[in-house]
Amino acid sequence: MQDAIILGGGISGLTAGYQLQKRGLDLSIIEKNVGPGGPISTLRSQGYLVERGPNSLLLSDPWVESLLNELGLADQVLETRPQAKKRYIVKNGRPVSVPSSPLQAIATPLFSLRAKLGFLGEPFRSRISDQRGDAETVASFVRRRMGQEFLDYAIDPFVSGVYAGDPKQLVLDYAFPLIRGFERDHGSLVRGALALKRRRKREGAAYKKRSISFREGLGALPATLARKLGNRVWLESKVVAVNRMEDCWQVTWKRQGENFEGFARHLLVCLPAYAIKRLAWTSDIANPLQEAPDLPFPPVHSLALGFRREQIEHPLDGFGVLAPSKEPTTILGALFSSSLFPDRAPDQHALLTTMIGGIRQPESASFSQEKLLEIALSDLKPLLGISGDPAFVHLSSWPRAIPQYTAAYGSWRNTLHGLEDEFPSLHFGGSSVDGIAMGAAILSGKRLAANVEEANQV
Ligand SMILES: Cc1cc2nc3c(=O)[nH]c(=O)nc-3n(C[C@H](O)[C@H](O)[C@H](O)COP(=O)(O)OP(=O)(O)OC[C@H]3O[C@@H](n4cnc5c(N)ncnc54)[C@H](O)[C@@H]3O)c2cc1C
């Protein structure tokens, strides 16, 4: 019998496995795909470096950075170029830069004078009324504190960029818990943000957050972890059933038509919510899981488009452009990938990564590459002044891309916590539990490994 079996070889499962392996535990990671890392995967083609899923990792926790150092990835880290700090939002069909100083905020055409005057009143607005409680949506909160225009031209595109989601459906406490704390503890977003900054400075904990990638793309991280884990990672292995036995877990998976079985004291579940629900579990686990609501997982298409630089009039001096749902654009946005990091496109060429789909367009799951290309070009050509056809096209489609932390997430998480309380050797993690960004998934893996270690010490 092994110490642990980890279901799912995404970044959370790999991080958990690596931590447990370092502590000398015997484990297996079972992953259905041919490669590790879930959507974190990079390819090089015709001189372009294409990120099929995530494009950047926000380093916001020193532990994640120390993990990269320990893995020997420090000298491959690339920080986003300084000129990529600028962000654009579509307004009236034009890309408008997001203000980054008080002076720019006064001058920006992104918001009307009335909306700008309204922002000044934010610190004096009253706190949430009780009846809205912890189920308040992001949209309701932002409208209440900052007004409709801020929701439409700042938060809505931001939520599309991060969640491919809809602020009217995401619950603030689940999707952005820090923000709720600003209002609860300080009565205002502005006062809360300033207080956090002061506290971090006082505690000397002013860790400098930054967005990074690696010279060979983000895929280098799961690839390195998987290499360190060696034959503990079972690829092309689809978990089908989990049986709770008296003193261990029995896991069954299929690999190339053959059934395999493993037994372990701890079970770490790092799968998306829908995959957890699909497994054949022992009934005392299956029943609560079936009763828990489904988390929406909208599709996202990532369409990499390469152009000769002279085909694009826009300076591409930024991170990218996001499209608010109020605008007639269909795309969610486009990253200026070759401006973000060096060596993403051949000399004198540019790479744009266009995102299409999300909760705004669930029907896009069935769109062909031809149709997606047509959508992308009809939006991007007038927006960025592009002429002619792309020299390079690569499509990566994620039919169930990102879990949405809607009202359903509260009872989903409670169900998992209830099961963990009942069965202390069962641990749930990953982006359907601990936060949807790559950094959160890494920290989730760390948390699960620590839980196992703690349980072993009791
Ligand atoms: C298009 C896209 C763009 C993104 N952009 C960013 C970004 O720029 N920055 C950022 O921080 N985050 C981004 N994210 C989110 C980030 O990719 C995730 O937070 C992170 O990869 C989640 O890791 P995980 O381990 O929790 O889950 P996953 O990576 O989903 O891992 C779960 C694993 O379980 C496997 N699996 C499923 N069912 C079974 C089964 N039955 N048996 C065995 N294995 C199974 C899957 O194949 C998968 O590998 C993006 C995501 C997508 C899809």
Side-chain angles (χ1 to χ4, degrees):
M1 178 167 45
Q2 293 192 289
D3 294 305
I5 295 182
I6 300 174
L7 312 189
I11 198 67
S12 59
L14 293 169
T15 306
Y18 176 67
Q19 292 305 108
L20 293 177
Q21 175 189 254
K22 278 199 308 183
R23 287 161 204 161
L25 270 66
D26 180 25
L27 66 106
S28 294
I29 299 180
I30 320 297
E31 165 56 49
K32 79 171 164 53
N33 285 346
V34 286
I40 309 168
S41 94
T42 312
L43 63 94
R44 263 202 192 276
S45 176
Q46 298 172 41
Y48 291 92
L49 186 142
V50 176
E51 293 289 10
R52 300 189 57 240
N55 281 261
S56 61
L57 161 64
L58 178 67
L59 278 185
S60 58
D61 186 294
W63 188 87
V64 177
E65 188 162 3
S66 66
L67 174 70
L68 303 183
N69 293 341
E70 190 181 310
L71 292 171
L73 285 169
D75 62 349
Q76 291 188 42
V77 168
L78 295 176
E79 294 196 12
T80 47
R81 288 172 162 154
Q83 62 266 38
K85 284 219 158 37
K86 213 173 190 178
R87 274 143 165 92
Y88 288 92
I89 287 180
V90 182
K91 173 115 196 221
N92 301 328
R94 315 283 338 141
V96 175
S97 68
V98 175
S100 62
S101 71
L103 214 62
Q104 285 176 16
I106 295 168
T108 182
L110 208 49
F111 306 109
S112 68
L113 178 63
R114 195 164 158 221
K116 288 176 197 169
L117 291 173
F119 301 160
L120 297 175
E122 193 279 331
F124 312 104
R125 275 181 205 122
S126 58
R127 289 169 209 229
I128 186 172
S129 61
D130 286 336
Q131 70 271 22
R132 268 180 280 204
D134 58 12
E136 187 176 28
T137 63
V138 172
S140 152
F141 177 86
V142 174
R143 208 180 290 118
R144 189 163 61 71
R145 298 225 57 100
M146 301 293 284
Q148 186 68 39
E149 276 190 43
F150 195 74
L151 172 63
D152 291 341
Y153 281 95
I155 299 305
D156 172 281
F158 170 71
V159 162
S160 273
V162 176
Y163 271 87
D166 174 3
K168 294 193 287 306
Q169 294 183 37
L170 296 182
V171 168
L172 185 79
D173 281 17
Y174 307 147
F176 302 104
L178 192 68
I179 305 281
R180 160 72 77 216
F182 288 167
E183 183 187 58
R184 190 188 50 234
D185 304 333
H186 303 277
S188 137
L189 301 187
V190 175
R191 279 204 295 266
L194 291 174
L196 178 70
K197 210 169 163 186
R198 277 196 303 272
R199 202 188 73 220
R200 288 203 168 136
K201 209 168 169 184
R202 209 172 42 240
E203 292 169 354
Y207 179 75
K208 196 173 162 284
K209 286 187 189 181
R210 56 209 200 280
S211 284
I212 63 143
S213 181
F214 306 103
R215 261 204 289 277
E216 284 309 313
L218 288 175
L221 178 56
T224 306
L225 283 166
R227 209 167 38 248
K228 301 257 178 202
L229 284 155
N231 61 8
R232 290 172 186 83
V233 184
W234 287 67
L235 295 173
E236 295 182 86
S237 299
K238 185 174 181 185
V239 179
V240 287
V242 179
N243 189 15
R244 190 175 64 77
M245 305 185 73
E246 204 167 312
D247 60 347
C248 71
W249 298 91
Q250 176 191 27
V251 178
T252 309
W253 64 92
K254 274 191 190 304
R255 188 190 207 182
Q256 291 162 358
E258 225 186 301
N259 272 353
F260 289 82
E261 251 178 23
F263 296 85
R265 261 182 290 280
H266 288 275
L267 184 71
L268 281 64
V269 186
C270 297
L271 303 174
Y274 60 86
I276 297 177
K277 285 187 130 195
R278 263 194 217 146
L279 300 184
W281 293 88
T282 321
S283 64
D284 48 3
I285 295 170
N287 294 340
L289 284 177
Q290 287 322 314
E291 279 161 26
D294 293 334
L295 296 189
F297 268 83
V300 173
H301 301 278
S302 173
L303 188 61
L305 300 175
F307 294 93
R308 288 190 318 282
R309 189 61 193 85
E310 79 235 12
Q311 286 179 271
I312 307 175
E313 280 169 20
H314 193 276
L316 303 180
D317 54 344
F319 204 92
V321 58
L322 288 168
S325 49
K326 272 206 104 170
E327 291 285 317
T329 13
T330 308
I331 61 167
L332 297 172
L335 292 163
F336 304 160
S337 301
S338 49
S339 301
L340 277 180
F341 300 110
D343 197 24
R344 268 25 186 175
D347 203 25
Q348 305 301 320
H349 287 68
L351 178 65
L352 303 175
T353 306
T354 314
M355 301 292 178
I356 304 171
I359 208 89
R360 282 187 207 167
Q361 227 185 356
E363 70 281 10
S364 70
S366 61
F367 288 0
S368 63
Q369 172 163 325
E370 206 180 11
K371 176 153 185 164
L372 291 163
L373 184 60
E374 192 186 305
I375 290 172
L377 292 180
S378 74
D379 279 349
L380 290 176
K381 281 188 168 185
L383 199 60
L384 302 176
I386 299 175
S387 54
D389 289 330
F392 172 80
V393 177
H394 186 278
L395 174 66
S396 308
S397 294
W398 305 100
R400 291 169 155 224
I402 298 175
Q404 302 294 302
Y405 287 10
T406 59
Y409 171 78
S411 37
W412 165 250
R413 195 182 50 182
N414 288 344
T415 302
L416 301 187
H417 286 170
L419 289 169
E420 287 172 331
D421 287 344
E422 201 175 341
F423 309 109
S425 56
L426 176 62
H427 316 268
F428 292 99
S431 60
S432 290
V433 184
D434 283 328
I436 60 124
M438 207 176 145
I442 295 172
L443 290 172
S444 175
K446 175 197 177 203
R447 180 181 72 77
L448 295 197
N451 286 355
V452 170
E453 194 172 35
E454 202 178 299
N456 278 350
Q457 281 165 359
V458 177

